Amino acid sequence: MGAMTVAESLAAEARALADGWTEEQLVDAAGEALGNAIARFFPQAGTIIAYLGKGHNAADGLVALGILRERYGWKVGARCACRTEDFAQLTLVKWRKLGLHAALETTPVNDSGGPFVLLDSLLGTGASGPLRKEFVPLAREMAELRQRVGARVAAVDLPSGINADSGHCAGEAVVADVTFMIANAKRGLLAGHAASITGALALVPMDALTENGAGDISLISPQTLDCGKGHRPFDFHKGMAGRVAIVAGSATYTGAAVLTATGALRGGAGLVTLFVPADAHAVISCKCPPEIIVRSYDRPCEVMATRFDALVLGCGMVDIKGNAAEDLLDVIFESQSPVVIDADALNLIAASGKLSILTEIHIVTPHPGEFARLMPDLAGLPREEAAREFIWRSPATLLLKGSRTIVAGRGQALRCNSTGTPGMASGGQGDLLAGVIGARLAIGDSPIDAASLSAWLCGRAAEIAMTGRACSEESLAASDVARFLGAAFKDWKSGGR
């Protein structure tokens, strides 16, 4: 399902109206779906204040407030950019139906003891240009509450002030922690440069407006991809879940190997064998979960003597030189099973200049610095453009890490991940991700699906970890993310995000 432009979104709405839907029915359906989506994202009831403009985006928000109040026990309120009597007719109908005594005249406070959410319903996707003067004070108020008291900002369809087609802002804009895009992903909001404004992205299903057309950029979400949804048959056994071999770690970076193996284990692999240097074996084996088979090696090529369905290479291997470097390059070239190439294995390929050994069975998972070493001439390009150029040059699947992780494969639309949190800005997250990708490859996912699903799962697990009192943006660690991968799998299968 490709992301849509504003014009395409308006055309979809026009088709729905032509098919017999009324504007009120569309608003009610969108608002109900939005309320349910917000409740899933913030599972503990709290206080939510909608910031309302005049139009139907505000009407969607008002219906969502009713759903959150009646079904989920939230306290609700509203701040208005205009007099309620100046609302669009349908928005006024929804305001009266919600039955609030009056709009708040002063800065709201959280008196619920739960989360404090500010719902940006000022402007819809049809708006363009800088925020008008009546919206600026409310946008600034949301920003101030976000910084001063930790309120979370949720945007309806788009953060007010951003262009939904380009992802750029002409002036001030609301900064959201999560943007709930109704029915279809909005093209500009998927851009890497928009991530600091949009936050995480959530797709709110709405059958009347959902379009299944192809495009050159799409969102990674349960609503747009079918992989990883099926249940295992009752007679499933570990051999059917796949064997993952991992070559990782060093005496300096023991944790990287442990996290990679843990990712493969929690990602669903039936058997995980971790190959580590002999001088690090004792330390790493003591740190690993008991389900991991830990073997020492003198040379990395020893991994080829074992049976595996997927291979993960490079995490925490430090500076690979001499025979070890030659071995690792040979393993990458000779493996008949899919290979995840991360961290120091990527740096080795870059230093050796042997990008040509990459084929369609390889997934490379660079962060921006590693990507710059792999293809220096692409480093200054926008992320989307750089990813497209990479897959034009190489048949490998690319997972380009960042606040909006991109997955790209030759002949496929660019995929942009929808999950994650700034709390993931800590060491070890990429190691865990590499292991999860290996597990998905071992069970038979295609490289692009394995990379896409794994990025979503790790981001979602981090989000879930943050909903409890035990984790914060400052304290979240990769090991916390690993503990919630099971919950993330459940959300993927059920569409519960």
Side-chain angles (χ1 to χ4, degrees):
M1 182 190 298
M4 296 177 66
T5 64
V6 172
E8 289 167 338
S9 296
L10 293 174
E13 185 173 344
R15 283 192 289 273
L17 293 171
D19 288 341
W21 286 78
T22 66
E23 288 187 342
E24 184 168 13
Q25 287 173 331
L26 291 176
V27 163
D28 285 343
E32 180 177 10
L34 174 63
N36 290 330
I38 293 170
R40 289 194 298 268
F41 196 88
F42 300 100
Q44 179 188 0
T47 296
I48 184 165
I49 307 298
Y51 285 69
L52 304 174
K54 296 180 181 180
H56 288 184
N57 187 268
D60 294 341
L62 288 166
V63 174
L65 289 188
I67 295 295
L68 289 165
R69 184 181 62 189
E70 303 305 324
R71 293 186 185 174
Y72 301 102
W74 284 69
K75 292 186 175 182
V76 304
R79 291 277 276 151
C80 298
C82 64
R83 300 179 307 166
T84 56
E85 53 264 37
D86 293 330
F87 281 160
Q89 182 178 359
L90 184 52
T91 306
L92 184 58
V93 169
K94 299 308 168 187
W95 170 261
R96 289 171 175 165
K97 184 174 181 179
L98 184 62
L100 292 179
H101 177 67
L104 297 172
E105 297 294 336
T106 58
T107 302
V109 297
N110 181 14
D111 58 358
S112 66
F116 189 25
V117 178
L118 312 178
L119 188 63
D120 171 21
S121 292
L122 293 173
L123 295 170
T125 53
S128 60
L131 282 179
R132 296 196 301 274
K133 62 181 182 179
E134 64 265 31
F135 298 126
V136 171
L138 293 182
R140 291 176 178 173
E141 180 175 286
M142 282 186 265
E144 191 265 341
L145 289 169
R146 184 173 180 267
Q147 290 299 318
R148 182 171 58 83
V149 300
R152 312 306 281 174
V153 177
V156 179
D157 233 7
L158 84 169
S160 298
I162 197 171
N163 185 294
D165 283 342
S166 70
H168 291 293
C169 303
E172 293 187 57
V174 173
V175 175
D177 296 289
V178 56
T179 298
F180 291 91
M181 299 179 294
I182 295 174
N184 301 284
K186 308 308 185 286
R187 184 180 180 86
L189 306 189
L190 273 57
H193 60 257
S196 62
I197 301 295
T198 64
L201 298 174
L203 193 58
V204 179
M206 185 181 169
D207 291 343
L209 299 180
T210 298
E211 297 284 331
N212 293 316
D216 65 349
I217 188 167
S218 63
L219 190 70
I220 299 171
S221 74
Q223 294 79 28
T224 56
L225 295 176
D226 292 329
C227 57
K229 301 280 182 66
H231 294 289
R232 293 176 172 183
F234 192 74
D235 59 351
F236 199 78
H237 57 77
K238 63 187 177 183
M240 297 167 68
R243 296 168 170 83
V244 177
I246 300 166
V247 182
S250 62
T252 305
Y253 293 108
T254 58
V258 176
L259 286 167
T260 307
T262 301
L265 178 68
R266 297 297 183 188
L271 288 169
V272 181
T273 305
L274 173 61
F275 289 79
V276 301
D279 64 348
H281 179 269
V283 174
I284 291 175
S285 60
C286 288
K287 291 182 176 182
C288 270
E291 298 87 355
I292 306 299
I293 303 165
V294 186
R295 298 179 57 176
S296 64
Y297 69 79
D298 293 315
R299 299 182 62 172
C301 60
E302 294 169 28
V303 71
M304 297 300 285
T306 64
R307 179 183 172 189
F308 54 82
D309 301 300
L311 182 60
V312 183
L313 303 174
C315 301
M317 294 184 72
V318 200
D319 191 17
I320 309 168
K321 295 180 179 178
N323 289 337
E326 293 178 9
D327 273 6
L328 207 61
L329 291 169
D330 287 343
V331 168
I332 292 170
F333 180 73
E334 294 173 6
S335 176
Q336 299 300 303
S337 298
V339 185
V340 183
I341 306 170
D342 190 35
D344 297 299
L346 291 172
N347 292 331
L348 173 62
I349 291 174
S352 67
K354 292 190 175 181
L355 273 165
S356 60
I357 68 173
L358 299 177
T359 70
E360 65 278 355
I361 70 168
H362 296 119
I363 299 176
V364 295
T365 58
H367 58 55
E370 292 161 347
F371 186 78
R373 289 189 280 276
L374 280 175
M375 290 193 174
D377 61 314
L378 303 184
L381 296 176
R383 288 165 55 80
E384 297 78 15
E385 186 177 341
R388 290 188 176 100
E389 180 64 21
F390 179 94
I391 60 172
W392 185 82
R393 298 183 189 181
S394 172
T397 295
L398 170 69
L399 183 149
L400 181 55
K401 296 170 184 171
S403 57
R404 184 78 68 233
T405 291
I406 292 173
V407 178
R410 187 170 287 181
Q412 301 281 338
L414 213 63
R415 297 181 180 182
C416 301
N417 190 34
S418 58
T419 60
T421 161
M424 298 179 78
S426 61
Q429 302 285 352
D431 304 319
L432 184 75
L433 171 62
V436 177
I437 298 171
R440 297 309 307 175
L441 288 171
I443 204 169
D445 285 354
S446 68
I448 193 167
D449 282 347
S452 301
L453 176 55
S454 299
W456 190 95
L457 289 169
C458 288
R460 180 56 181 152
E463 292 173 352
I464 296 169
M466 295 281 290
T467 62
R469 293 185 58 83
C471 289
S472 70
E473 289 181 350
E474 296 79 9
S475 71
L476 185 73
S479 53
D480 297 317
V481 176
R483 283 194 286 272
F484 290 95
L485 281 168
F489 268 110
K490 289 183 176 180
D491 277 354
W492 178 265
K493 290 175 182 288
S494 67
R497 154 68 163 84

